[in-house]
Amino acid sequence: MAQKLGWKLHGNGKHMPPGDVVLPNERMNWPIMFGIGAQHVVAMFGATFLVPLLTGFDPATTLFFTGFGTILFILVTAGRLPSYLGSSFALLAPIGAVTGYVAGGGAPLDEAKAALAQGGIIAVGVTLALVGVIVHFAGARWIDKLMPPVVTGAIVSLIGFNLAPAAWNNVKTAPVTAIVTIVTILLVTVLFRGILGRLSILVGVLVGYVVAVVRGEVDFTAISDASWLGVPHFRAPAFDASLLGLFVPVVLVLIAENVGHVKSVSAMTGKDLDDVTGRALFADGISTMFAGAGGGSGTTTYAENIGVMAATRIYSTAAYIIAASIALALSMFPKFGQLIATIPPGVLGGAATVLYGMIGMLGVRIWVQNRVDFSDPVNLNTAAVAMVVAIANYSFHLGGMVFEGIAIGSFCAILIYHLMRSISRWRGTSQEAASPASAPAGAELEPGMLIR
């Protein structure tokens, strides 16, 4: 594997001089790489295992497909783009809409409905893979034109805020445990530096879990009943075209996440990776298809692992092969999967409160970083309508298809932006300068500072 992917030893493999960076096609010695790979597992774990717990899917199966998908991703991108493919939060809402599963609600997951959700996940994967093929041959500039920063930010943001009620449903089952989990996450974030500070979600869940055990909210019966070794529980998918309206719009979020990941790694390594964007989208699409086919959730690139790379300055894809192998191994221990499944609703609600909020604010950060001008009524209305539609979870039926808040909000963001922008240019209203009435702070009035 190493020879095929072309990893070469960085320096003497033991020491990194200050300022050095280990590139994707390089590696340190294998004991060091194993340690880095283990850090990547820990970094992605806090978010990845929450998805199956919130959807009712099997944690071991989900973990298996994240490991499998990561290896596939590294191979498809020829070892040039380091990434761990964790579980995508963008799919939580459509999966929940189909299955009706509520974490800690008492009712078990309906297997038939779960299979239908898997069919939707596969549709997302197929669509993303097709987009990857188009990007590979046509380039990615059309994505930037279709989804400028105001649209991308709105779509990412509305995903998180649409999920807010799901977090509250879990929090109110055990408010004390949830509050302890939230407070721990917030404190760890500001009290510790480096890797530990970046693992605040995981630490918060662990502390919350201990509190839940003390309060008698954890049932360990399933752990003792599970065997030590075994393969994950795989489930065949089922398909219903009427549900595609819930799932396919999620592709827009996965595109934004993957393109953002490529740009982030390019900036950190100083390497132009634009030509790998199509491969990345295709690989994530294929990985999501496999996950949906076997009972896992969709996958996406993980910002948590970018944090590990930034802290260690080691961008070697060898670390991700190791991380994926560790994940695959852990998925073969049923007791481990059952241990994860014992995490109670209060802990999940606390962690989800922070995570869903973070997803929402990531969209806001896209606006801020790109200096989106909200004194421009086109930008303002694009975001305003999309956000309210998603937060209120508007829904309607078109023929046999169902569309809900995330899908409608995403389409609104794209359609409103391009329609209003076209009309404003035709009418010349886009040429009107911002006024003190629309920009009372005055900062937005500085020339050359705004993105329309």
Side-chain angles (χ1 to χ4, degrees):
M1 177 70 73
Q3 185 176 3
K4 181 178 180 180
L5 292 179
W7 297 314
K8 59 183 180 181
L9 200 63
H10 180 86
N12 62 9
K14 297 179 180 180
H15 304 287
M16 287 179 59
D20 259 21
V21 169
V22 178
L23 296 175
N25 65 335
E26 299 177 329
R27 66 172 178 85
M28 301 300 286
N29 63 30
W30 289 114
I32 292 176
M33 294 311 303
F34 184 85
I36 298 298
Q39 287 187 58
H40 281 297
V41 173
V42 174
M44 67 83 185
F45 206 78
T48 288
F49 75 70
L50 281 178
V51 173
L53 294 179
L54 294 170
T55 59
F57 283 21
D58 185 82
T61 307
T62 299
L63 191 60
F64 173 87
F65 282 110
T66 66
F68 177 84
T70 297
I71 293 175
L72 181 65
F73 186 92
I74 299 300
L75 292 174
V76 171
T77 58
R80 294 179 58 199
L81 185 62
S83 176
Y84 192 94
L85 293 190
S87 301
S88 172
F89 277 83
L91 283 157
L92 284 175
I95 291 174
V98 172
T99 64
Y101 177 80
V102 178
L109 177 68
D110 186 312
E111 293 288 320
K113 292 180 178 179
L116 288 172
Q118 291 173 228
I121 293 170
I122 292 174
V124 170
V126 170
T127 307
L128 185 60
L130 290 175
V131 171
V133 172
I134 295 172
V135 169
H136 182 71
F137 290 103
R141 291 187 63 186
W142 64 273
I143 294 179
D144 295 330
K145 291 183 178 180
L146 177 67
M147 297 191 298
V150 63
V151 173
T152 303
I155 292 175
V156 173
S157 191
L158 64 82
I159 290 285
F161 295 137
N162 174 269
L163 291 167
W168 169 239
N169 288 335
N170 282 326
V171 168
K172 62 187 179 183
T173 64
V176 173
T177 303
I179 291 173
V180 170
T181 303
I182 294 171
V183 171
T184 302
I185 292 172
L186 300 180
L187 288 178
V188 169
T189 301
V190 294
L191 284 175
F192 301 99
R193 304 184 184 195
I195 298 297
L196 187 58
R198 298 180 187 278
L199 299 179
S200 57
I201 295 290
L202 182 61
V203 176
V205 168
L206 292 175
V207 172
Y209 188 84
V210 172
V211 172
V213 171
V214 173
R215 293 174 57 85
E217 298 168 359
V218 181
D219 182 5
F220 294 103
T221 304
I223 299 177
S224 58
D225 292 342
S227 58
W228 283 101
L229 293 175
V231 296
H233 170 66
F234 297 113
R235 180 177 52 238
F239 299 90
D240 184 345
S242 67
L243 301 176
L244 294 182
L246 294 171
F247 285 89
V248 174
V250 172
V251 171
L252 298 174
V253 180
L254 299 182
I255 291 173
E257 289 176 337
N258 276 274
V259 172
H261 183 82
V262 173
K263 291 180 178 179
S264 295
V265 175
S266 294
M268 290 189 295
T269 61
K271 299 291 184 181
D272 184 359
L273 297 172
D274 285 351
D275 62 316
V276 188
T277 303
R279 287 174 175 258
L281 293 166
F282 179 79
D284 192 12
I286 296 297
S287 172
T288 296
M289 289 170 57
F290 275 112
S297 183
T299 59
T300 188
T301 52
Y302 256 30
E304 287 86 345
N305 297 95
I306 286 183
V308 174
M309 291 191 290
T312 61
R313 305 193 313 280
I314 296 178
Y315 303 96
S316 173
T317 50
Y320 286 96
I321 295 294
I322 292 171
S325 300
I326 293 173
L328 289 173
L330 289 175
S331 72
M332 303 295 177
F333 291 94
K335 282 189 181 294
F336 178 78
Q338 289 301 325
L339 174 64
I340 299 302
T342 62
I343 297 176
V347 178
L348 295 177
T353 297
V354 179
L355 278 171
Y356 295 167
M358 282 182 176
I359 295 170
M361 295 311 296
L362 282 174
V364 176
R365 188 174 72 175
I366 290 174
W367 292 334
V368 172
Q369 289 178 333
N370 289 277
R371 313 187 88 158
V372 174
D373 175 17
F374 282 109
S375 67
D376 178 352
V378 174
N379 291 338
L380 183 63
N381 284 283
T382 295
V385 174
M387 295 298 291
V388 170
V389 165
I391 292 172
N393 200 34
Y394 286 27
S395 63
F396 71 89
H397 295 254
L398 180 63
M401 298 185 70
V402 180
F403 296 87
E404 292 196 351
I406 290 177
I408 303 172
S410 299
F411 284 129
C412 281
I414 294 174
L415 292 176
I416 290 173
Y417 175 82
H418 289 288
L419 183 60
M420 289 189 70
R421 182 63 72 211
S422 297
I423 294 175
S424 69
R425 285 172 178 162
W426 168 58
R427 293 289 298 156
T429 55
S430 62
Q431 303 304 316
E432 294 182 9
S435 68
S438 62
E444 293 91 341
L445 302 179
E446 297 178 21
M449 297 290 287
L450 306 176
I451 292 180
R452 287 188 179 272

